[in-house]
């Protein structure tokens, strides 16, 4: 299957994308996001606020070791993470349904630019202050009776779209 070892993963070229989890409460969602980040060689994950950090058995249950390969760091708030990312020159998108947001399929990326995507709490979404501090907002079009997706599912869709744009 040509799987990388953790050491090979850490040494490999990464997708120029940082994933920010803003008060994500479910450890299973956190683990699932780590697993997706591993699959697409995401640069790092920022865990913010009440979002749990590895090592934790419930994170490991869904991450299946992805939390060991993907770099991560903790911030007291997503606001702090966004500030730090901006200082690094990273372009930050919040994933949120707001007026003026860009539909995911209409997203434009540029090679040489590093990106970050902020995913919010399962009930409240991304904090408004984080949305306001972001460089833009992306949303996944939805056509059913609900207007939200599970945060881990959302992360998988968005991360794949960045991989599709930046790797292929």
């Amino acid at each position: 299957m040509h799987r990388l070892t953790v050491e090979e993963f850490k040494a490999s070229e990464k997708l120029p994308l940082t994933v920010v989890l803003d008060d994500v409460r479910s450890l299973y969602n956190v683990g699932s996001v780590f697993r997706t980040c591993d699959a697409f060689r995401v640069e790092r994950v920022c865990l913010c606020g009440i979002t749990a950090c590895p090592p934790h058995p419930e994170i490991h249950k869904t991450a299946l070791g992805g939390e060991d390969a993907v770099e991560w760091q903790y911030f007291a708030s997503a606001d702090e993470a966004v500030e730090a990312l901006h200082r690094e020159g990273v372009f930050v998108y919040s994933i949120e349904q707001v007026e003026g947001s860009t539909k995911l399929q209409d997203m434009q990326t540029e090679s040489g630019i590093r990106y970050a995507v902020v995913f919010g709490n399962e009930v409240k979404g991304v904090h408004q202050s984080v949305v306001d501090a972001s460089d833009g907002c992306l949303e996944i079009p939805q056509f059913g009776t609900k207007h939200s997706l599970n945060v881990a599912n959302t992360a998988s869709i968005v991360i794949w779209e960045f991989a599709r744009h930046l790797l292929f």
Side-chain angles (χ1 to χ4, degrees), residues 101-109 137-143 157-158 161-162 164-165:
S101 63
T102 300
K103 304 288 190 221
L104 186 60
Q105 72 269 19
D106 296 330
M107 173 183 69
Q108 300 292 314
T109 59
C137 290
L138 296 172
E139 71 172 271
I140 300 170
Q142 298 166 50
F143 310 102
I157 293 167
V158 171
E161 192 66 12
F162 272 91
R164 193 177 72 75
H165 276 255

Side-chain angles (χ1 to χ4, degrees), residues 38-52:
D38 175 89
F40 293 103
R41 276 196 242 162
V42 165
E43 188 174 309
R44 69 182 157 186
V45 175
C46 296
L47 305 168
C48 305
I50 66 167
T51 307

Side-chain angles (χ1 to χ4, degrees), residues 9 12-19 36-45 70 90 107 109-117 155-168:
F9 181 97
S12 69
E13 186 175 343
K14 304 295 187 297
L15 180 67
L17 182 67
T18 295
V19 169
T36 300
C37 289
D38 175 89
F40 293 103
R41 276 196 242 162
V42 165
E43 188 174 309
R44 69 182 157 186
V45 175
V70 178
V90 175
M107 173 183 69
T109 59
E110 296 179 40
S111 64
I113 302 291
R114 291 173 54 220
Y115 293 93
V117 286
S156 295
I157 293 167
V158 171
I159 293 166
W160 160 249
E161 192 66 12
F162 272 91
R164 193 177 72 75
H165 276 255
L166 297 170
L167 297 178
F168 303 108

Side-chain angles (χ1 to χ4, degrees), residues 16-91:
L17 182 67
T18 295
V19 169
V20 179
L21 300 182
D22 179 9
D23 282 343
V24 172
R25 66 181 181 192
S26 165
L27 281 75
Y28 297 122
N29 283 335
V30 174
S32 182
V33 170
F34 266 106
R35 191 167 171 184
T36 300
C37 289
D38 175 89
F40 293 103
R41 276 196 242 162
V42 165
E43 188 174 309
R44 69 182 157 186
V45 175
C46 296
L47 305 168
C48 305
I50 66 167
T51 307
C53 298
H56 196 287
E58 289 180 29
I59 292 174
H60 182 73
K61 186 172 185 174
T62 50
L64 296 176
E67 76 279 24
D68 298 326
V70 178
E71 294 297 321
W72 63 271
Q73 60 191 127
Y74 176 79
F75 290 89
S77 71
D79 294 291
E80 289 180 20
V82 169
E83 285 176 27
L85 290 162
H86 277 150
R87 283 193 303 271
E88 294 175 20
V90 175
F91 189 95

